[in-house]
Amino acid sequence: DPEGFTLVELLVSIAILTLVMSVTYGIFAATTKAWQRGKIVSESLQHGDFIMEQLVMGLRSAYYRNAASGFWLTDGGNGPYSADAISWVKLGPALVGARSEVAKGSHRIKFTVETIDGSPAATVRAWSPESYLQPDEFDADNVPPVVLSRHIVGFNCRIGYQEQGGMMDWKEDWEKTNTLPRTIELTIYLKPRNDNEEPIEMRRCVSIPVSENK
């Protein structure tokens, strides 16, 4: 018999090679997709950790001088795409940055999630709480927002009320706007990997020490 491959053997070899290449490509594609998903989740978690730590530091540096230094909470719904807004007077660079002019003294900030250029983003506004330092007809809503992260799609805040027996009752509102709450629950929701998935939830409880000007 002459040496070489028959047509049938050649076709079988090509079929096997095609199958092996298809399986290899499928494994490679799945691995690449998983790596991309992991990268997206890791990036979102890093943004979430940063925003959460900034919020915690900002709340722990709350500065209470008088009734005008109280904590404000605006309820913006519940769930992954809630958009609560919180505002308080604080000291230090948390949320505003060390180079900000307002960081040199006490300043009021407002943190929320709002739509910027068609997509949700975590934002902060900051201004002096002293009325004599503001121009005539000052309106805090006109202070331009600074985008902290576009990986945050929702924000929810609840206030903790200590009950008898040590239990904590959580409420969505805060009516004592001339004072500071002692315990706050913060929940931020991170952008999901895919549009058909639920946002990733991060939650922290914060105890607020009160710093008064003596």
Side-chain angles (χ1 to χ4, degrees), residues 14-189:
I14 293 174
I16 293 174
L17 180 61
T18 302
L19 179 61
V20 171
M21 291 180 65
S22 298
V23 172
T24 303
Y25 175 78
I27 294 174
F28 175 77
T31 302
T32 301
K33 191 173 183 179
W35 178 80
Q36 291 175 340
R37 287 180 178 176
K39 183 179 179 181
I40 293 173
V41 171
S42 177
E43 187 175 357
S44 291
L45 289 175
Q46 289 177 3
H47 279 258
D49 284 336
F50 171 76
I51 296 300
M52 188 65 83
E53 287 302 317
Q54 289 290 302
L55 282 170
V56 171
M57 287 190 294
L59 287 167
R60 287 178 177 168
S61 62
Y63 177 77
Y64 188 84
R65 181 177 180 181
N66 49 41
S69 307
F71 181 85
W72 306 342
L73 167 61
T74 302
D75 186 14
N78 296 304
Y81 295 98
S82 55
D84 286 2
I86 57 175
S87 178
W88 71 101
V89 177
K90 59 177 282 294
L91 299 170
L95 293 166
V96 296
R99 296 183 180 180
S100 173
E101 286 296 319
V102 297
K104 297 177 182 179
S106 63
H107 51 278
R108 177 171 284 280
I109 66 168
K110 177 183 178 182
F111 175 87
T112 189
V113 170
E114 57 188 300
T115 301
I116 303 292
D117 297 331
S119 61
T123 65
V124 66
R125 290 175 170 84
W127 62 94
S128 172
E130 305 296 343
S131 58
Y132 69 89
L133 295 176
Q134 302 296 353
D136 294 338
E137 299 181 357
F138 171 76
D139 186 352
D141 290 334
N142 293 330
V143 175
V146 175
V147 175
L148 299 178
S149 175
R150 292 187 178 275
H151 287 259
I152 312 298
V153 298
F155 172 65
N156 187 259
C157 177
R158 297 195 303 173
I159 308 300
Y161 295 84
Q162 194 76 35
E163 293 185 331
Q164 293 183 353
M167 298 295 292
M168 189 71 74
D169 181 28
W170 298 98
K171 295 186 178 180
E172 301 285 344
D173 56 358
W174 175 252
E175 297 179 354
K176 302 177 182 179
T177 55
N178 60 342
T179 62
L180 293 175
R182 294 295 180 177
T183 306
I184 295 178
E185 180 192 73
L186 306 171
T187 304
I188 59 176
Y189 296 90

Side-chain angles (χ1 to χ4, degrees), residues 33 37 40-41 80-81 153 190-200:
K33 191 173 183 179
R37 287 180 178 176
I40 293 173
V41 171
Y81 295 98
V153 298
L190 307 175
K191 182 187 299 183
R193 295 173 298 179
N194 299 309
D195 293 337
N196 59 345
E197 296 181 354
E198 287 293 314
I200 302 169

